[in-house]
Amino acid sequence: MSDKVAMEKIVSLCKRRGFVFPSSEIYGGLASCWDYGPMGVELKRNIKDAWWKAMVQERNDVIGIDTSIMMHPGVWKASGHIDNFTDPLVECKSCHLRWRADEIASDKPRTCTKCGGELTEPRMFNLMFKTFMGPVEEEASTIYLRPETAQGMFVNFENATTTSRKRLPLGIAQIGKSFRNEITPGNFIFRTREFEHMELEYFVKPGTDEAWFDYWVKERFNWYLKLGIAKENLRLRQHGKDELAHYAKDCYDIECLFPMGWSELEGIANRSDYDLTQHAKHSGKDLRYYDAESGERYVPYVIEPSAGVDRSLLAFLIDAYHEEMVEEETRVVLRLHPSLAPMKVAVLPLSRNEKLTPLAKEVYRQLCPNFMTCYDDSQSIGRRYRRQDEIGTPFCVTIDFQSLEDNQVTIRERDSLAQIRVPIKELEQTLQAKLKGERFDATALWATRQKSQ
Ligand code: ATP
């Protein structure tokens, strides 16, 4: 289970199998920056697609948007980020190491853990990255890289509601990069300074906000369950009153059991009418919504489920990682939900033999328009199966000498290790059915994991 998987194993698998590499590695890397390799990019896309499908495609009450990373500086003044988006920073007076003051245990002497030096008093440090727009580096041209995508939805509230001709309750969803100059990034891709957000701003009539808040907490929790994360590795935690952000009326974190312990995976906040009220005040635009049914005008309340793509990816990897004994060897297998698996099918000729290659390539060509498919004919078939297990490929299709005679191939299943023989002309249909099939609902996935413990 995930609480037994050391982060080093995940980092090593990610490097070995092309999920995640240190950024600028040939220059020694750049602290807390990571690049997604060929498998990582597919997994990331699949996570974003699953989110978009559940949050936009399958709902008539949510529309999508894609706003710019650089926004008018007035946005950040109105949102409170310029004044409040800060963490308390302390620094060692002798070795200059820095920490978030709130991460240092209050019952310990406040000295540097590295050199024992004296620490400075905490000072507030703004987490937004600053840069300059245009050729002149002066105060007036200062702009910020967005620390969240949410403000793009608030400032487009009017555009989005009028052009979509939809009534409240209405959500605006966005996936995109955010930047935070975190004081202490770390734990691999858990906390980085550049990451991707998946955020929904769901606008509702005041008074209905608490019911919608409960709805979204449940909805988001179930999203992770449906994608296979084991129930015992997820929990909800309500924020205490002293912990709530300045705009929030209520907030729950969905927490996941990461190798370093229970930590936030996603936050769901009731942001009240704070954001639209602030933007109306600072922009001078009336952002009230006209409710045609009741004839009222009001500032909507906003429920915000805010998730991180990179942190979800880490959670899915940790949860999927399993080691088990097969034929007296340790098999590392990623039991990823098939919709998330980077590759759905691997086509593997039994050996690199001139008689087998043409048929194997033909099978590959048939499958790749419909599934992310890889072709591998190097090394022994056993080692190739292990490689596919490590990247979580649900199905391997093996072409052997018998295939040349009977036009049948073997499908080997990642989880059960069962092998079935099917005619090549039925292969695509069989794989489609298996990928969509019942056996891959989360309950079945958990059952196979349990058996393999
Ligand atoms: P934390 O308390 O971990 O700093 P937060 O409460 O500030 O996070 P939110 O602003 O609620 O985070 O962002 C929502 C989600 O975005 C988080 O649950 C997480 O998945 C992701 N996220 C936030 N900051 C980072 C980061 N620095 N690196 C990676 N993902 C992040």
Side-chain angles (χ1 to χ4, degrees):
M1 295 308 298
S2 71
D3 54 342
K4 293 187 198 141
V5 182
M7 190 71 100
E8 296 77 61
K9 284 197 176 176
I10 300 292
V11 176
S12 147
L13 176 86
C14 282
K15 177 81 201 292
R16 193 166 71 242
R17 293 292 174 224
F19 282 92
V20 184
F21 309 126
S23 166
S24 323
E25 197 181 5
I26 60 168
Y27 286 94
L30 179 66
S32 104
C33 293
W34 302 92
D35 295 342
Y36 288 87
M39 293 306 125
V41 72
E42 295 301 331
L43 177 55
K44 210 175 180 206
R45 271 164 43 113
N46 293 340
I47 293 171
K48 290 191 275 186
D49 286 351
W51 187 89
W52 199 262
K53 187 160 184 282
M55 305 296 274
V56 182
Q57 185 183 333
E58 292 176 354
R59 306 190 63 106
N60 196 27
D61 58 350
V62 177
I63 51 181
I65 201 168
D66 185 7
T67 68
S68 70
I69 286 172
M70 295 179 285
M71 301 177 80
H72 190 287
V75 169
W76 307 115
K77 186 70 195 157
S79 67
H81 281 85
I82 289 180
D83 299 324
N84 296 314
F85 195 57
T86 51
D87 274 339
L89 172 103
V90 290
E91 188 173 328
C92 170
K93 288 183 184 169
S94 66
C95 76
H96 301 289
L97 216 66
R98 291 169 164 193
W99 293 276
R100 261 170 68 168
D102 55 350
E103 282 176 353
I104 299 177
S106 53
D107 54 347
K108 296 239 168 69
R110 294 179 75 83
T111 49
C112 176
T113 48
K114 191 172 162 226
C115 74
E118 195 187 336
L119 299 181
T120 59
E121 282 303 307
R123 69 183 163 87
M124 295 318 269
F125 171 76
N126 196 297
L127 301 185
M128 280 197 295
F129 276 94
K130 264 190 205 173
T131 187
F132 300 99
M133 185 165 254
V136 189
E137 295 194 3
E138 61 183 15
E139 183 82 351
S141 57
T142 302
I143 57 157
Y144 302 91
L145 301 187
R146 68 178 178 203
E148 61 179 33
T149 66
Q151 299 305 321
M153 281 81 113
F154 299 133
V155 299
N156 277 293
F157 172 67
E158 216 190 348
N159 285 337
T161 42
T162 47
T163 55
S164 68
R165 303 168 53 82
K166 287 184 186 279
R167 299 212 170 132
L168 260 51
L170 177 67
I172 311 182
Q174 169 157 226
I175 300 178
K177 289 259 177 167
S178 291
F179 302 82
R180 297 180 180 184
N181 202 359
E182 302 275 4
I183 297 170
T184 43
N187 284 318
F188 192 31
I189 52 172
F190 178 85
R191 189 183 304 284
T192 50
R193 295 192 170 112
E194 171 182 342
F195 61 96
E196 258 182 301
H197 254 142
M198 305 186 280
E199 296 192 297
L200 170 72
E201 306 306 320
Y202 195 75
F203 299 89
V204 303
K205 186 174 181 179
T208 65
D209 53 299
E210 288 179 16
W212 279 115
F213 178 69
D214 291 347
Y215 167 86
W216 279 111
V217 170
K218 289 196 192 86
E219 197 69 12
R220 292 304 305 149
F221 194 82
N222 285 335
W223 185 77
Y224 294 101
L225 291 179
K226 277 191 215 142
L227 286 172
I229 296 206
K231 282 189 212 118
E232 59 271 26
N233 291 341
L234 285 177
R235 72 179 189 196
L236 284 170
R237 187 182 71 81
Q238 188 174 20
H239 281 209
K241 288 273 172 263
D242 52 336
E243 210 188 335
L244 285 175
H246 59 281
Y247 50 75
K249 177 173 160 185
D250 201 354
C251 186
Y252 271 91
D253 285 346
I254 299 176
E255 294 190 332
C256 180
L257 190 53
F258 287 97
M260 63 283 185
W262 287 99
S263 308
E264 176 181 337
L265 177 58
E266 166 163 353
I268 299 114
N270 180 341
R271 295 182 73 121
S272 69
D273 59 0
Y274 175 83
D275 303 277
L276 289 181
T277 304
Q278 284 295 103
H279 286 303
K281 200 162 96 194
H282 286 253
S283 68
K285 297 272 184 309
D286 182 0
L287 296 179
R288 286 176 303 163
Y289 170 77
Y290 176 68
D291 189 329
E293 263 165 47
S294 66
E296 293 168 86
R297 252 181 214 289
Y298 54 78
V299 181
Y301 268 45
V302 176
I303 310 302
E304 176 195 73
S306 171
V309 180
D310 316 74
R311 209 175 275 185
S312 305
L313 188 143
L314 182 60
F316 285 121
L317 278 180
I318 287 165
D319 187 78
Y321 185 96
H322 286 76
E323 286 179 9
E324 58 189 30
M325 290 306 285
V326 176
E327 290 160 11
E328 292 173 22
E329 262 188 49
T330 307
R331 163 171 108 124
V332 172
V333 53
L334 283 187
R335 294 196 194 282
L336 285 168
H337 192 281
S339 66
L340 299 183
M343 293 290 151
K344 312 299 178 205
V345 193
V347 174
L348 313 174
L350 193 62
S351 62
R352 191 182 286 166
N353 176 287
E354 60 185 24
K355 292 209 176 84
L356 293 179
T357 304
L359 183 61
K361 291 238 158 110
E362 178 53 31
V363 170
Y364 171 76
R365 273 192 295 274
Q366 271 180 28
L367 296 180
C368 66
N370 303 299
F371 313 97
M372 274 310 291
T373 310
C374 63
Y375 183 91
D376 187 1
D377 63 0
S378 63
Q379 298 181 313
S380 75
I381 189 77
R383 293 183 81 152
R384 281 180 278 155
Y385 282 148
R386 296 289 174 270
R387 273 208 292 272
Q388 295 305 324
D389 289 341
E390 283 203 346
I391 60 170
T393 309
F395 301 109
C396 290
V397 171
T398 314
I399 289 95
D400 55 22
F401 290 98
Q402 184 71 26
S403 310
L404 299 173
E405 283 161 27
D406 63 7
N407 267 311
Q408 297 202 3
V409 290
T410 305
I411 301 177
R412 173 219 189 237
E413 296 190 358
R414 176 196 72 193
D415 294 336
S416 64
L417 294 176
Q419 305 206 4
I420 55 159
R421 222 142 153 101
V422 292
I424 292 175
K425 60 177 180 350
E426 288 168 26
L427 180 60
E428 184 194 327
Q429 203 187 334
T430 311
L431 289 170
Q432 291 286 17
K434 280 181 175 293
L435 281 164
K436 287 213 173 116
E438 283 296 294
R439 57 170 286 109
F440 276 123
D441 70 14
T443 326
L445 195 62
W446 294 330
T448 42
R449 288 181 190 180
Q450 230 94 60
K451 265 192 244 144
S452 78
Q453 292 303 304

